[in-house]
């Protein structure tokens, strides 16, 4: 454990224990980065209140008991403890980090983590909101895997429901081949809208559509065949988007709504027999305590409609039961739009009432904020039509090509770099904002080579690589030893030591933007270092070796971090 923040936490806790008794040894010392030292500990302020003593006095007592082998301490202000690590300690830890394949990332006891993400709807298009749940979910899955957890990806596709009666009839009307071609090209939305329009305006079509639903539910072979084709062609489009973006979802991860269909009657029976669900106005409902509507009436979670049909909530209850009992989940992450917050709160509450979800399992809704257009509304094209994702991604690549156009690459290399930069920009834009905030989709901003963007970080790695190329040195052979003479060297080394705890925090809190901010800080620390500390032209050989080693460690941290974000990195840029 060489993460500075963790080391200092432990040290201050020891001091708390010896100064105020063992019951204080587990207190959170509230270590934060500081402007005046490396870190500050703020615990004295809150502890003083509880002990009814002067905060500065409490701070001094902690300082007096602190093991100051590797750290110096100073009481400041109303009772802050300013903590400064010794240069020698930082240098030594950074040197060890060079030998550590995991770069300080811990490997806690493995858990089974289910990540429910992407989940577009067959027949409707995959919109930019699904893109964001896909990108955020993929980073969480990658991060948990890297921490050693057993990750089960679940793509909860919208591939079932009464609307498929209407869609199948429309498919037959326009001809199978024609229809499937549209779906494979990502025109699901146009297809859906045309079907919907006929359904609303043509009584004969509506009747046919309604008659098709029981055929589908009853397993009529021809109807099932058409439905399967339909789903397969939609999935082909989703897969194309996943491949373009480098998303790790495969066909094996598909666990769509249709998969749960056979379980729904059993789910309802179990809920009813356990007294968790009751009939209300003909429908079978759960009334989880604490949920009320506008009129203060208890809010129902409808699990079986009065016509006998099942809905979105029933499927999610079946899914949670399956994930806990069959997949043995310790943690289930639902990476889904923030607008579905009430749905998940009620599903979790109902699952708890049924005993399917219990204290040993954590179910969390990782709320994803909407992606907006420059008009502040949901992201659409100028004409108001929604955007095909493959076209959006193509545009990102074309624009990225313009950004790097002047760098003189041959056409093939340029296309490859443009693809990596374009995809990196789109992904980083989704990841670098806290997942529950909305943000405005803006190509110019996300493709900028300066600021907190994907291309800036890609460029930072390419620049470090070019140092090694120019020196004719392999980064792997730069092994130090690391010595810290200049403040910029020290700041960079200290920053690099924080990688492990950031990765752990991303998984704990489901917050990928923490890793983005961290990598951005690393890249900036490197820039300051590079501006004031010549590497290849360092005057002394030992300084040159140390700076090469720091550069190599920076490169490795950036590459590993970007890999967890699912962002590819061009060798040159
Ligand atoms: N298909 C749904 C939608 O587009 C998202 C499904 C999310 N996952 C779940 N288990 N409900 O809104």
């Amino acid at each position: 454990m060489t993460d500075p923040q963790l080391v200092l936490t432990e040290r201050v806790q020891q001091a708390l224990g010896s100064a105020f008794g063992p019951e204080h040894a587990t207190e959170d010392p509230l270590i934060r980065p500081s402007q005046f030292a490396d870190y500050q500990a703020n615990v004295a302020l809150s502890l003083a209140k509880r002990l009814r003593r002067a905060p500065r006095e409490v701070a001094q007592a902690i300082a007096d008991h602190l093991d100051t082998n590797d750290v110096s301490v100073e009481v400041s202000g109303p009772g802050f403890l300013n903590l400064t690590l010794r240069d020698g300690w930082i240098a030594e830890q950074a040197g060890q980090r060079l030998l550590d394949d995991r770069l300080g990332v811990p490997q806690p006891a493995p858990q089974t983590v289910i990540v429910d993400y992407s989940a577009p709807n067959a027949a409707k298009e995959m919109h930019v909101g699904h893109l964001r749940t896909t990108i955020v979910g993929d980073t969480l899955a990658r991060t948990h895997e890297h921490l050693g957890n057993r990750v089960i990806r679940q793509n909860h596709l919208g591939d079932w429901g009464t609307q498929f009666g209407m869609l199948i009839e429309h498919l037959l009307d326009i001809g199978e081949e024609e229809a499937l071609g549209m779906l494979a090209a990502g025109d699901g939305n146009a297809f859906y809208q045309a079907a919907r329009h006929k359904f609303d305006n043509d009584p004969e079509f509506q009747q046919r559509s309604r008659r098709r639903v029981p055929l589908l539910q009853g397993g009529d072979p021809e109807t099932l065949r058409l439905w399967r084709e339909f789903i397969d062609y939609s999935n082909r489009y989703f897969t194309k988007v996943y491949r373009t973006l480098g998303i790790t979802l495969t066909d094996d991860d598909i666990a769509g709504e249709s998969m749960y269909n056979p379980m729904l009657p059993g789910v309802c029976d179990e809920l009813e027999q356990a007294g968790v669900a009751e009939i209300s106005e003909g429908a079978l409902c759960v009334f989880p305590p604490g949920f009320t509507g506008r009129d203060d009436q208890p809010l129902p979670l409808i699990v079986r409609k009065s016509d006998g049909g099942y809905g979105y909530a029933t499927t999610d209850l079946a899914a949670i039961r399956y994930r806990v009992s069959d997949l043995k989940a310790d943690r289930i992450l639902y990476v889904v739009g923030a607008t579905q917050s009430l749905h998940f709160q009620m599903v979790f509450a109902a699952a708890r009432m049924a005993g399917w979800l219990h204290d040993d399992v954590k179910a969390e809704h990782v709320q994803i904020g909407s992606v907006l257009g420059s008009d502040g509304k949901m992201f659409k094209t100028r004409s108001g039509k929604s955007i095909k994702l493959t076209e959006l991604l193509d545009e990102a690549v074309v624009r990225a090509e313009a950004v790097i156009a002047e760098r003189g690459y041959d056409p093939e290399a340029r296309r490859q770099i443009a693809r990596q930069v374009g995809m990196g920009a789109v992904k980083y834009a989704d990841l670098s904002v806290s997942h529950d905030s909305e943000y405005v989709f803006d190509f110019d901003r996300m493709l900028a080579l300066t600021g907190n963007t994907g291309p800036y970080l890609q460029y930072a790695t390419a620049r470090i690589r070019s140092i090694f190329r120019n020196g004719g040195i392999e980064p792997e052979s730069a092994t130090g030893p690391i010595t810290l003479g200049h403040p910029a060297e020290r700041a960079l080394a200290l920053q690099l030591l924080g990688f492990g705890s950031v990765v752990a925090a991303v998984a704990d809190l489901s917050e990928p933007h923490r890793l983005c901010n961290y990598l951005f800080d690393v890249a900036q620390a490197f820039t300051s270092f590079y501006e004031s500390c010549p590497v290849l032209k360092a005057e002394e050989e030992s300084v040159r070796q140390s700076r090469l080693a720091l550069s190599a460690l920076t490169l490795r941290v950036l590459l590993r971090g970007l890999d967890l974000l699912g962002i590819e990195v061009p060798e040159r840029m």
Side-chain angles (χ1 to χ4, degrees), residues 116-121 127 130 133 154-159 257 312 315-316 319 323 334-337 339-340 343-344:
D116 175 327
Y117 71 108
S118 194
N121 301 314
H127 58 72
H130 289 121
T133 69
Q154 295 277 278
N155 193 351
H156 195 89
L157 287 180
D159 63 358
E257 293 180 16
Y312 189 52
T315 307
D316 259 324
R323 289 166 182 182
Y334 292 82
V335 189
V336 186
T339 50
Q340 296 189 29
H343 165 76
F344 283 111

PDB file of all heavy atoms in Angstrom, residues 116-121 127 130 133 154-159 257 312 315-316 319 323 334-337 339-340 343-344, ligand 1:
ATOM      1  N   ASP A 116     -25.558  -4.145 -15.883  1.00  0.00           N
ATOM      2  CA  ASP A 116     -26.681  -4.082 -16.823  1.00  0.00           C
ATOM      3  C   ASP A 116     -26.520  -2.773 -17.575  1.00  0.00           C
ATOM      4  O   ASP A 116     -26.650  -1.700 -16.982  1.00  0.00           O
ATOM      5  CB  ASP A 116     -27.974  -4.142 -15.996  1.00  0.00           C
ATOM      6  CG  ASP A 116     -29.258  -3.974 -16.807  1.00  0.00           C
ATOM      7  OD1 ASP A 116     -29.255  -3.223 -17.814  1.00  0.00           O
ATOM      8  OD2 ASP A 116     -30.276  -4.564 -16.414  1.00  0.00           O
ATOM      9  N   TYR A 117     -26.156  -2.846 -18.841  1.00  0.00           N
ATOM     10  CA  TYR A 117     -25.916  -1.601 -19.575  1.00  0.00           C
ATOM     11  C   TYR A 117     -26.192  -1.723 -21.053  1.00  0.00           C
ATOM     12  O   TYR A 117     -26.392  -2.817 -21.554  1.00  0.00           O
ATOM     13  CB  TYR A 117     -24.507  -1.081 -19.310  1.00  0.00           C
ATOM     14  CG  TYR A 117     -23.344  -1.846 -19.914  1.00  0.00           C
ATOM     15  CD1 TYR A 117     -22.625  -1.305 -20.976  1.00  0.00           C
ATOM     16  CD2 TYR A 117     -22.935  -3.064 -19.401  1.00  0.00           C
ATOM     17  CE1 TYR A 117     -21.518  -1.966 -21.512  1.00  0.00           C
ATOM     18  CE2 TYR A 117     -21.841  -3.733 -19.925  1.00  0.00           C
ATOM     19  CZ  TYR A 117     -21.131  -3.188 -20.977  1.00  0.00           C
ATOM     20  OH  TYR A 117     -20.047  -3.839 -21.501  1.00  0.00           O
ATOM     21  N   SER A 118     -26.223  -0.594 -21.705  1.00  0.00           N
ATOM     22  CA  SER A 118     -26.537  -0.439 -23.132  1.00  0.00           C
ATOM     23  C   SER A 118     -28.046  -0.580 -23.360  1.00  0.00           C
ATOM     24  O   SER A 118     -28.741   0.405 -23.475  1.00  0.00           O
ATOM     25  CB  SER A 118     -25.739  -1.409 -24.005  1.00  0.00           C
ATOM     26  OG  SER A 118     -25.846  -0.975 -25.352  1.00  0.00           O
ATOM     27  N   ALA A 119     -28.526  -1.831 -23.419  1.00  0.00           N
ATOM     28  CA  ALA A 119     -29.963  -2.126 -23.472  1.00  0.00           C
ATOM     29  C   ALA A 119     -30.781  -1.261 -24.420  1.00  0.00           C
ATOM     30  O   ALA A 119     -31.763  -0.660 -24.024  1.00  0.00           O
ATOM     31  CB  ALA A 119     -30.545  -2.043 -22.046  1.00  0.00           C
ATOM     32  N   PRO A 120     -30.383  -1.194 -25.695  1.00  0.00           N
ATOM     33  CA  PRO A 120     -31.240  -0.479 -26.641  1.00  0.00           C
ATOM     34  C   PRO A 120     -32.503  -1.288 -26.934  1.00  0.00           C
ATOM     35  O   PRO A 120     -32.608  -2.444 -26.538  1.00  0.00           O
ATOM     36  CB  PRO A 120     -30.361  -0.374 -27.898  1.00  0.00           C
ATOM     37  CG  PRO A 120     -29.411  -1.515 -27.806  1.00  0.00           C
ATOM     38  CD  PRO A 120     -29.195  -1.773 -26.334  1.00  0.00           C
ATOM     39  N   ASN A 121     -33.435  -0.659 -27.619  1.00  0.00           N
ATOM     40  CA  ASN A 121     -34.677  -1.337 -27.954  1.00  0.00           C
ATOM     41  C   ASN A 121     -34.655  -1.757 -29.415  1.00  0.00           C
ATOM     42  O   ASN A 121     -34.440  -0.925 -30.288  1.00  0.00           O
ATOM     43  CB  ASN A 121     -35.856  -0.406 -27.692  1.00  0.00           C
ATOM     44  CG  ASN A 121     -35.887   0.037 -26.237  1.00  0.00           C
ATOM     45  OD1 ASN A 121     -35.728  -0.784 -25.342  1.00  0.00           O
ATOM     46  ND2 ASN A 121     -36.053   1.321 -26.010  1.00  0.00           N
ATOM     47  N   HIS A 127     -30.396   5.362 -29.485  1.00  0.00           N
ATOM     48  CA  HIS A 127     -30.152   6.804 -29.513  1.00  0.00           C
ATOM     49  C   HIS A 127     -28.942   7.180 -28.675  1.00  0.00           C
ATOM     50  O   HIS A 127     -28.319   6.328 -28.028  1.00  0.00           O
ATOM     51  CB  HIS A 127     -31.401   7.590 -29.116  1.00  0.00           C
ATOM     52  CG  HIS A 127     -31.929   7.257 -27.756  1.00  0.00           C
ATOM     53  ND1 HIS A 127     -31.290   7.632 -26.605  1.00  0.00           N
ATOM     54  CD2 HIS A 127     -33.026   6.567 -27.372  1.00  0.00           C
ATOM     55  CE1 HIS A 127     -31.978   7.205 -25.577  1.00  0.00           C
ATOM     56  NE2 HIS A 127     -33.029   6.549 -26.006  1.00  0.00           N
ATOM     57  N   HIS A 130     -28.598   5.888 -25.188  1.00  0.00           N
ATOM     58  CA  HIS A 130     -28.101   4.507 -25.071  1.00  0.00           C
ATOM     59  C   HIS A 130     -26.595   4.462 -25.278  1.00  0.00           C
ATOM     60  O   HIS A 130     -25.906   3.638 -24.714  1.00  0.00           O
ATOM     61  CB  HIS A 130     -28.767   3.606 -26.109  1.00  0.00           C
ATOM     62  CG  HIS A 130     -30.203   3.320 -25.830  1.00  0.00           C
ATOM     63  ND1 HIS A 130     -31.199   3.638 -26.708  1.00  0.00           N
ATOM     64  CD2 HIS A 130     -30.815   2.772 -24.761  1.00  0.00           C
ATOM     65  CE1 HIS A 130     -32.363   3.285 -26.197  1.00  0.00           C
ATOM     66  NE2 HIS A 130     -32.161   2.750 -25.015  1.00  0.00           N
ATOM     67  N   THR A 133     -25.070   5.247 -21.863  1.00  0.00           N
ATOM     68  CA  THR A 133     -25.134   4.135 -20.905  1.00  0.00           C
ATOM     69  C   THR A 133     -24.178   3.024 -21.348  1.00  0.00           C
ATOM     70  O   THR A 133     -23.588   2.332 -20.526  1.00  0.00           O
ATOM     71  CB  THR A 133     -26.557   3.553 -20.759  1.00  0.00           C
ATOM     72  OG1 THR A 133     -26.931   2.889 -21.960  1.00  0.00           O
ATOM     73  CG2 THR A 133     -27.583   4.610 -20.449  1.00  0.00           C
ATOM     74  N   GLN A 154     -24.755  -7.754 -18.750  1.00  0.00           N
ATOM     75  CA  GLN A 154     -26.111  -8.109 -19.128  1.00  0.00           C
ATOM     76  C   GLN A 154     -26.693  -7.007 -19.993  1.00  0.00           C
ATOM     77  O   GLN A 154     -26.921  -5.885 -19.530  1.00  0.00           O
ATOM     78  CB  GLN A 154     -26.992  -8.280 -17.871  1.00  0.00           C
ATOM     79  CG  GLN A 154     -26.561  -9.440 -16.979  1.00  0.00           C
ATOM     80  CD  GLN A 154     -27.111 -10.776 -17.443  1.00  0.00           C
ATOM     81  OE1 GLN A 154     -28.235 -11.135 -17.171  1.00  0.00           O
ATOM     82  NE2 GLN A 154     -26.286 -11.525 -18.180  1.00  0.00           N
ATOM     83  N   ASN A 155     -26.911  -7.343 -21.256  1.00  0.00           N
ATOM     84  CA  ASN A 155     -27.509  -6.383 -22.173  1.00  0.00           C
ATOM     85  C   ASN A 155     -29.017  -6.655 -22.204  1.00  0.00           C
ATOM     86  O   ASN A 155     -29.486  -7.546 -22.882  1.00  0.00           O
ATOM     87  CB  ASN A 155     -26.877  -6.539 -23.561  1.00  0.00           C
ATOM     88  CG  ASN A 155     -27.220  -5.387 -24.482  1.00  0.00           C
ATOM     89  OD1 ASN A 155     -28.062  -4.545 -24.147  1.00  0.00           O
ATOM     90  ND2 ASN A 155     -26.586  -5.344 -25.647  1.00  0.00           N
ATOM     91  N   HIS A 156     -29.743  -5.867 -21.421  1.00  0.00           N
ATOM     92  CA  HIS A 156     -31.183  -6.062 -21.207  1.00  0.00           C
ATOM     93  C   HIS A 156     -31.968  -5.456 -22.377  1.00  0.00           C
ATOM     94  O   HIS A 156     -32.686  -4.465 -22.224  1.00  0.00           O
ATOM     95  CB  HIS A 156     -31.541  -5.385 -19.877  1.00  0.00           C
ATOM     96  CG  HIS A 156     -32.872  -5.742 -19.293  1.00  0.00           C
ATOM     97  ND1 HIS A 156     -33.073  -6.791 -18.454  1.00  0.00           N
ATOM     98  CD2 HIS A 156     -34.095  -5.148 -19.414  1.00  0.00           C
ATOM     99  CE1 HIS A 156     -34.336  -6.841 -18.066  1.00  0.00           C
ATOM    100  NE2 HIS A 156     -34.988  -5.849 -18.645  1.00  0.00           N
ATOM    101  N   LEU A 157     -31.780  -6.044 -23.556  1.00  0.00           N
ATOM    102  CA  LEU A 157     -32.392  -5.502 -24.777  1.00  0.00           C
ATOM    103  C   LEU A 157     -33.911  -5.401 -24.675  1.00  0.00           C
ATOM    104  O   LEU A 157     -34.554  -6.299 -24.136  1.00  0.00           O
ATOM    105  CB  LEU A 157     -32.095  -6.434 -25.949  1.00  0.00           C
ATOM    106  CG  LEU A 157     -30.713  -6.508 -26.554  1.00  0.00           C
ATOM    107  CD1 LEU A 157     -30.740  -7.514 -27.700  1.00  0.00           C
ATOM    108  CD2 LEU A 157     -30.309  -5.142 -27.082  1.00  0.00           C
ATOM    109  N   GLY A 158     -34.441  -4.339 -25.247  1.00  0.00           N
ATOM    110  CA  GLY A 158     -35.893  -4.239 -25.374  1.00  0.00           C
ATOM    111  C   GLY A 158     -36.327  -5.037 -26.595  1.00  0.00           C
ATOM    112  O   GLY A 158     -36.426  -4.501 -27.689  1.00  0.00           O
ATOM    113  N   ASP A 159     -36.559  -6.339 -26.397  1.00  0.00           N
ATOM    114  CA  ASP A 159     -36.844  -7.207 -27.541  1.00  0.00           C
ATOM    115  C   ASP A 159     -38.158  -7.948 -27.379  1.00  0.00           C
ATOM    116  O   ASP A 159     -38.358  -9.007 -27.959  1.00  0.00           O
ATOM    117  CB  ASP A 159     -35.691  -8.202 -27.752  1.00  0.00           C
ATOM    118  CG  ASP A 159     -35.528  -9.128 -26.554  1.00  0.00           C
ATOM    119  OD1 ASP A 159     -36.264  -8.970 -25.561  1.00  0.00           O
ATOM    120  OD2 ASP A 159     -34.665 -10.030 -26.606  1.00  0.00           O
ATOM    121  N   GLU A 257     -35.276  -8.695 -22.708  1.00  0.00           N
ATOM    122  CA  GLU A 257     -36.557  -8.858 -22.013  1.00  0.00           C
ATOM    123  C   GLU A 257     -37.216 -10.192 -22.357  1.00  0.00           C
ATOM    124  O   GLU A 257     -37.848 -10.830 -21.507  1.00  0.00           O
ATOM    125  CB  GLU A 257     -37.484  -7.696 -22.375  1.00  0.00           C
ATOM    126  CG  GLU A 257     -36.997  -6.363 -21.829  1.00  0.00           C
ATOM    127  CD  GLU A 257     -37.927  -5.211 -22.203  1.00  0.00           C
ATOM    128  OE1 GLU A 257     -39.073  -5.471 -22.609  1.00  0.00           O
ATOM    129  OE2 GLU A 257     -37.497  -4.052 -22.081  1.00  0.00           O
ATOM    130  N   TYR A 312     -42.794  -3.812 -18.131  1.00  0.00           N
ATOM    131  CA  TYR A 312     -41.370  -3.542 -17.897  1.00  0.00           C
ATOM    132  C   TYR A 312     -40.961  -3.910 -16.460  1.00  0.00           C
ATOM    133  O   TYR A 312     -39.902  -4.495 -16.229  1.00  0.00           O
ATOM    134  CB  TYR A 312     -41.157  -2.055 -18.172  1.00  0.00           C
ATOM    135  CG  TYR A 312     -39.729  -1.567 -18.215  1.00  0.00           C
ATOM    136  CD1 TYR A 312     -38.779  -2.200 -19.015  1.00  0.00           C
ATOM    137  CD2 TYR A 312     -39.350  -0.441 -17.482  1.00  0.00           C
ATOM    138  CE1 TYR A 312     -37.481  -1.707 -19.069  1.00  0.00           C
ATOM    139  CE2 TYR A 312     -38.060   0.056 -17.539  1.00  0.00           C
ATOM    140  CZ  TYR A 312     -37.125  -0.590 -18.320  1.00  0.00           C
ATOM    141  OH  TYR A 312     -35.849  -0.109 -18.373  1.00  0.00           O
ATOM    142  N   THR A 315     -40.685  -7.705 -15.773  1.00  0.00           N
ATOM    143  CA  THR A 315     -39.445  -8.231 -16.340  1.00  0.00           C
ATOM    144  C   THR A 315     -38.259  -7.901 -15.451  1.00  0.00           C
ATOM    145  O   THR A 315     -37.389  -8.733 -15.212  1.00  0.00           O
ATOM    146  CB  THR A 315     -39.226  -7.633 -17.743  1.00  0.00           C
ATOM    147  OG1 THR A 315     -40.389  -7.863 -18.504  1.00  0.00           O
ATOM    148  CG2 THR A 315     -38.032  -8.256 -18.425  1.00  0.00           C
ATOM    149  N   ASP A 316     -38.228  -6.681 -14.938  1.00  0.00           N
ATOM    150  CA  ASP A 316     -37.096  -6.324 -14.083  1.00  0.00           C
ATOM    151  C   ASP A 316     -37.123  -7.090 -12.759  1.00  0.00           C
ATOM    152  O   ASP A 316     -36.061  -7.372 -12.185  1.00  0.00           O
ATOM    153  CB  ASP A 316     -37.061  -4.809 -13.848  1.00  0.00           C
ATOM    154  CG  ASP A 316     -36.010  -4.155 -14.750  1.00  0.00           C
ATOM    155  OD1 ASP A 316     -34.953  -4.781 -14.974  1.00  0.00           O
ATOM    156  OD2 ASP A 316     -36.248  -3.039 -15.240  1.00  0.00           O
ATOM    157  N   ALA A 319     -35.727 -10.379 -13.570  1.00  0.00           N
ATOM    158  CA  ALA A 319     -34.285 -10.256 -13.793  1.00  0.00           C
ATOM    159  C   ALA A 319     -33.533 -10.186 -12.464  1.00  0.00           C
ATOM    160  O   ALA A 319     -32.485 -10.814 -12.296  1.00  0.00           O
ATOM    161  CB  ALA A 319     -33.989  -9.018 -14.637  1.00  0.00           C
ATOM    162  N   ARG A 323     -30.757 -12.792 -11.236  1.00  0.00           N
ATOM    163  CA  ARG A 323     -29.378 -12.339 -11.030  1.00  0.00           C
ATOM    164  C   ARG A 323     -28.865 -12.670  -9.638  1.00  0.00           C
ATOM    165  O   ARG A 323     -27.691 -12.981  -9.455  1.00  0.00           O
ATOM    166  CB  ARG A 323     -29.294 -10.828 -11.290  1.00  0.00           C
ATOM    167  CG  ARG A 323     -29.455 -10.522 -12.757  1.00  0.00           C
ATOM    168  CD  ARG A 323     -29.716  -9.072 -13.052  1.00  0.00           C
ATOM    169  NE  ARG A 323     -29.891  -8.898 -14.500  1.00  0.00           N
ATOM    170  CZ  ARG A 323     -30.100  -7.732 -15.080  1.00  0.00           C
ATOM    171  NH1 ARG A 323     -30.178  -6.622 -14.354  1.00  0.00           N
ATOM    172  NH2 ARG A 323     -30.245  -7.656 -16.386  1.00  0.00           N
ATOM    173  N   TYR A 334     -27.150  -1.004 -12.442  1.00  0.00           N
ATOM    174  CA  TYR A 334     -28.071  -0.706 -13.541  1.00  0.00           C
ATOM    175  C   TYR A 334     -27.644   0.625 -14.135  1.00  0.00           C
ATOM    176  O   TYR A 334     -27.910   1.674 -13.548  1.00  0.00           O
ATOM    177  CB  TYR A 334     -29.513  -0.604 -13.036  1.00  0.00           C
ATOM    178  CG  TYR A 334     -30.085  -1.930 -12.564  1.00  0.00           C
ATOM    179  CD1 TYR A 334     -29.815  -2.409 -11.287  1.00  0.00           C
ATOM    180  CD2 TYR A 334     -30.901  -2.688 -13.400  1.00  0.00           C
ATOM    181  CE1 TYR A 334     -30.344  -3.631 -10.860  1.00  0.00           C
ATOM    182  CE2 TYR A 334     -31.436  -3.896 -12.980  1.00  0.00           C
ATOM    183  CZ  TYR A 334     -31.153  -4.361 -11.709  1.00  0.00           C
ATOM    184  OH  TYR A 334     -31.669  -5.565 -11.293  1.00  0.00           O
ATOM    185  N   VAL A 335     -26.955   0.558 -15.245  1.00  0.00           N
ATOM    186  CA  VAL A 335     -26.470   1.785 -15.875  1.00  0.00           C
ATOM    187  C   VAL A 335     -27.551   2.226 -16.871  1.00  0.00           C
ATOM    188  O   VAL A 335     -27.582   1.773 -18.017  1.00  0.00           O
ATOM    189  CB  VAL A 335     -25.115   1.552 -16.563  1.00  0.00           C
ATOM    190  CG1 VAL A 335     -24.519   2.871 -17.022  1.00  0.00           C
ATOM    191  CG2 VAL A 335     -24.153   0.832 -15.620  1.00  0.00           C
ATOM    192  N   VAL A 336     -28.435   3.053 -16.398  1.00  0.00           N
ATOM    193  CA  VAL A 336     -29.665   3.376 -17.155  1.00  0.00           C
ATOM    194  C   VAL A 336     -30.002   4.847 -16.926  1.00  0.00           C
ATOM    195  O   VAL A 336     -29.644   5.424 -15.891  1.00  0.00           O
ATOM    196  CB  VAL A 336     -30.847   2.495 -16.673  1.00  0.00           C
ATOM    197  CG1 VAL A 336     -32.080   2.713 -17.559  1.00  0.00           C
ATOM    198  CG2 VAL A 336     -30.490   1.015 -16.643  1.00  0.00           C
ATOM    199  N   GLY A 337     -30.693   5.447 -17.876  1.00  0.00           N
ATOM    200  CA  GLY A 337     -31.083   6.858 -17.811  1.00  0.00           C
ATOM    201  C   GLY A 337     -31.683   7.273 -16.467  1.00  0.00           C
ATOM    202  O   GLY A 337     -32.428   6.516 -15.843  1.00  0.00           O
ATOM    203  N   THR A 339     -33.957   9.222 -15.875  1.00  0.00           N
ATOM    204  CA  THR A 339     -35.418   9.349 -15.891  1.00  0.00           C
ATOM    205  C   THR A 339     -36.098   8.093 -15.358  1.00  0.00           C
ATOM    206  O   THR A 339     -37.285   8.134 -15.033  1.00  0.00           O
ATOM    207  CB  THR A 339     -35.926   9.599 -17.332  1.00  0.00           C
ATOM    208  OG1 THR A 339     -35.340   8.610 -18.174  1.00  0.00           O
ATOM    209  CG2 THR A 339     -35.530  10.980 -17.835  1.00  0.00           C
ATOM    210  N   GLN A 340     -35.376   6.986 -15.280  1.00  0.00           N
ATOM    211  CA  GLN A 340     -35.997   5.749 -14.789  1.00  0.00           C
ATOM    212  C   GLN A 340     -35.778   5.534 -13.291  1.00  0.00           C
ATOM    213  O   GLN A 340     -35.946   4.422 -12.780  1.00  0.00           O
ATOM    214  CB  GLN A 340     -35.493   4.545 -15.594  1.00  0.00           C
ATOM    215  CG  GLN A 340     -35.898   4.640 -17.056  1.00  0.00           C
ATOM    216  CD  GLN A 340     -35.617   3.364 -17.838  1.00  0.00           C
ATOM    217  OE1 GLN A 340     -35.621   2.270 -17.292  1.00  0.00           O
ATOM    218  NE2 GLN A 340     -35.381   3.517 -19.131  1.00  0.00           N
ATOM    219  N   HIS A 343     -38.728   4.055 -11.254  1.00  0.00           N
ATOM    220  CA  HIS A 343     -38.916   2.651 -11.625  1.00  0.00           C
ATOM    221  C   HIS A 343     -37.974   1.755 -10.816  1.00  0.00           C
ATOM    222  O   HIS A 343     -38.404   0.780 -10.200  1.00  0.00           O
ATOM    223  CB  HIS A 343     -38.677   2.480 -13.132  1.00  0.00           C
ATOM    224  CG  HIS A 343     -38.488   1.054 -13.571  1.00  0.00           C
ATOM    225  ND1 HIS A 343     -39.538   0.173 -13.693  1.00  0.00           N
ATOM    226  CD2 HIS A 343     -37.363   0.347 -13.883  1.00  0.00           C
ATOM    227  CE1 HIS A 343     -39.076  -1.019 -14.079  1.00  0.00           C
ATOM    228  NE2 HIS A 343     -37.753  -0.936 -14.209  1.00  0.00           N
ATOM    229  N   PHE A 344     -36.682   2.114 -10.803  1.00  0.00           N
ATOM    230  CA  PHE A 344     -35.728   1.238 -10.118  1.00  0.00           C
ATOM    231  C   PHE A 344     -35.909   1.279  -8.597  1.00  0.00           C
ATOM    232  O   PHE A 344     -35.808   0.239  -7.950  1.00  0.00           O
ATOM    233  CB  PHE A 344     -34.290   1.567 -10.534  1.00  0.00           C
ATOM    234  CG  PHE A 344     -33.969   1.029 -11.889  1.00  0.00           C
ATOM    235  CD1 PHE A 344     -33.763   1.879 -12.965  1.00  0.00           C
ATOM    236  CD2 PHE A 344     -33.917  -0.340 -12.125  1.00  0.00           C
ATOM    237  CE1 PHE A 344     -33.500   1.379 -14.233  1.00  0.00           C
ATOM    238  CE2 PHE A 344     -33.657  -0.859 -13.383  1.00  0.00           C
ATOM    239  CZ  PHE A 344     -33.451   0.000 -14.440  1.00  0.00           C
TER     240      PHE A 344
HETATM  241  N1  LIG B   1     -34.489  -0.766 -22.857  1.00  0.00           N
HETATM  242  C1  LIG B   1     -34.601   0.189 -21.815  1.00  0.00           C
HETATM  243  C2  LIG B   1     -34.676   1.603 -22.388  1.00  0.00           C
HETATM  244  O1  LIG B   1     -34.284   1.831 -23.503  1.00  0.00           O
HETATM  245  C3  LIG B   1     -33.438   0.145 -20.848  1.00  0.00           C
HETATM  246  C4  LIG B   1     -33.299  -1.133 -20.045  1.00  0.00           C
HETATM  247  C5  LIG B   1     -32.433  -0.941 -18.836  1.00  0.00           C
HETATM  248  N2  LIG B   1     -32.263  -2.106 -18.003  1.00  0.00           N
HETATM  249  C6  LIG B   1     -33.200  -2.641 -17.233  1.00  0.00           C
HETATM  250  N3  LIG B   1     -32.911  -3.710 -16.529  1.00  0.00           N
HETATM  251  N4  LIG B   1     -34.384  -2.099 -17.112  1.00  0.00           N
HETATM  252  O2  LIG B   1     -35.140   2.502 -21.719  1.00  0.00           O
END
